[in-house]
């Protein structure tokens, strides 16, 4: 006979499973919509970027906006899946807000990037002559860099420095490509890196400074956001890591082979490589390492021979 107070199988089924002791929720499975949705937006980004050098004029402008929107959607979908809606919204507000503020101040005063101006009526609605899609581009571009920086170091100060460095590396691709397409122009010529001297050195210094501020605010937000992160794993990190690697290696190939920008191909490859090369080394070590043995339940009997 059984005690009526004993739980039935149905009761056990309804019993919620507690979080692991470390308070972190497990990573979503590969077929989970939480994993597939960010990857779908990453795939859309890749397809759009492949089409970029094949188009011109208004069609290329629309593709540019599509690339920005798809990267933002990939970033926010991944942030929501792994950290929750509040974290994702806070990330977008911080990054796009600071980015837009820096752009408005920059186009008005020349600080911190230097004297430049955006082309009119090419990238959609604008605020004080800054296209609003540019503010979104900050979120879409910074997110994968910030995630990769977190893979390479858990120390806040190191992660902040790596994020700022990676953001400058991304801009070593972005600025020459957009200037060549006429999306914005600089007031001075001949005061930049060899091969891309139409973009002044002050631009990269400004990017580093603004990215430092953004990464510092994100470090604070990491502690303030209540949502627990998932256990780190290849499934969890697939979308931002893929987006980072594509931006790094795909942009280098596109600049060198299709856009006629060999100098920026080399600069961007080296700049983002500060994070990209260690990332590949970390991935290689994890691939070669055997998976950890599952922890044994302390209440289960010891294995016998």
């Amino acid at each position: 006979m059984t005690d009526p107070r004993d739980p039935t199988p149905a009761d056990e089924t309804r019993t919620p499973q507690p979080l692991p002791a470390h308070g972190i929720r497990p990573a979503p499975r590969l077929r989970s919509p939480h994993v597939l949705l960010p990857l779908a937006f990453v795939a859309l980004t890749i397809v759009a970027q492949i089409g970029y050098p094949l188009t011109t004029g208004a069609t290329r402008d629309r593709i540019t906006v599509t690339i920005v929107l798809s990267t933002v959607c990939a970033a926010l979908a991944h942030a929501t899946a792994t950290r929750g809606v509040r974290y994702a919204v806070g990330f977008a507000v911080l990054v796009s807000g600071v980015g837009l503020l820096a752009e408005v101040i920059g186009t008005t005063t020349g600080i911190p990037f230097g004297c430049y101006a955006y082309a009119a009526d090419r990238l959609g609605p604008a605020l004080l002559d800054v296209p609003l899609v540019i503010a979104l581009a900050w979120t879409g571009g910074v997110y994968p860099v910030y995630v990769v920086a977190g893979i390479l170091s858990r120390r806040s100060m190191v992660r902040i420095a790596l994020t700022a460095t990676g953001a400058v590396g991304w801009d070593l691709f972005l600025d020459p490509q957009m200037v060549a397409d006429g999306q914005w122009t600089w007031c001075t010529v001949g005061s930049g890196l060899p091969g891309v001297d139409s973009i002044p050195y002050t631009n990269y210094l400004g990017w580093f400074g603004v990215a430092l501020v953004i990464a510092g605010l994100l470090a604070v937000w990491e502690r303030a956001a209540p949502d627990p992160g998932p256990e780190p794993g290849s499934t969890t990190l697939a979308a931002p890591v893929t987006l980072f690697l594509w931006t790094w290696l795909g942009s280098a190939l596109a600049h060198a082979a299709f856009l006629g920008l060999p100098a920026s191909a080399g600069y961007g490859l080296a700049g983002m490589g500060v994070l990209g090369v260690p990332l590949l080394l970390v991935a290689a070590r994890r691939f070669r390492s055997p998976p950890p043995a599952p922890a044994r339940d302390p209440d289960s009997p010891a294995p016998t021979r």
Side-chain angles (χ1 to χ4, degrees), residues 36 56 128 134 214 238:
L36 294 179
T56 58
L128 299 177
I134 296 298
I214 288 174

Side-chain angles (χ1 to χ4, degrees), residues 125-155:
L127 175 65
L128 299 177
D129 298 327
V130 176
L132 294 179
V133 73
I134 296 298
L136 298 177
W138 279 88
T139 292
V142 167
Y143 185 81
V145 173
Y146 185 69
V147 171
V148 169
I151 295 172
L152 299 180
S153 178
R154 295 293 181 181
R155 298 172 58 188

Side-chain angles (χ1 to χ4, degrees), residues 23-92:
I24 300 176
R25 63 173 180 254
R29 295 182 178 181
L30 181 59
R31 294 185 180 181
S32 165
H34 295 299
V35 175
L36 294 179
L37 185 59
L39 287 174
F41 284 120
V42 171
L44 176 60
T45 301
I46 292 173
V47 171
Q49 288 183 332
I50 290 174
Y52 179 91
L54 306 177
T55 59
T56 58
T59 301
R60 176 175 284 189
D61 290 346
R62 287 192 288 269
I63 287 181
T64 300
V65 174
T66 299
I67 292 170
V68 172
L69 295 180
S70 59
T71 57
V72 172
C73 289
L76 297 184
H78 181 266
T80 300
T82 57
R83 293 296 304 273
V85 173
R86 182 180 174 184
Y87 176 84
V89 171
F91 189 101

Side-chain angles (χ1 to χ4, degrees), residues 139-301:
T139 292
V142 167
Y143 185 81
V145 173
Y146 185 69
V147 171
V148 169
I151 295 172
L152 299 180
S153 178
R154 295 293 181 181
R155 298 172 58 188
S156 292
M157 296 305 295
V158 176
R159 188 179 191 181
I160 290 170
L162 287 174
T163 299
T165 302
V168 174
W170 172 48
D171 189 58
L172 286 166
F173 286 126
L174 178 66
D175 240 278
Q177 182 174 330
M178 294 296 101
V179 168
D181 195 38
Q183 296 292 356
W184 58 81
T185 55
W186 293 91
C187 302
T188 59
V189 178
S191 60
L193 295 169
V196 286
D197 58 358
S198 60
I199 303 167
Y201 290 110
T202 54
N203 172 62
Y204 308 113
L205 295 174
W207 263 80
F208 188 79
V210 173
L212 275 179
V213 172
I214 288 174
L217 292 173
L218 290 177
V220 175
W221 182 234
E222 286 287 329
R223 296 182 175 90
D227 306 289
E231 294 178 333
S234 58
T235 299
T236 304
L237 301 174
V241 167
T242 300
L243 189 55
F244 177 91
L245 292 174
W246 171 257
T247 302
W248 175 37
L249 301 176
S251 295
L253 175 62
H255 279 228
F258 302 105
L259 298 176
L261 300 169
S264 59
Y267 293 136
L269 185 66
M272 292 193 73
V274 174
L275 278 71
V277 172
L279 174 65
L280 293 179
L281 294 176
V282 169
R285 285 197 298 267
R286 289 183 180 179
F287 181 78
R288 291 196 301 264
S289 301
R296 186 174 66 86
D297 187 343
D299 296 328
S300 64

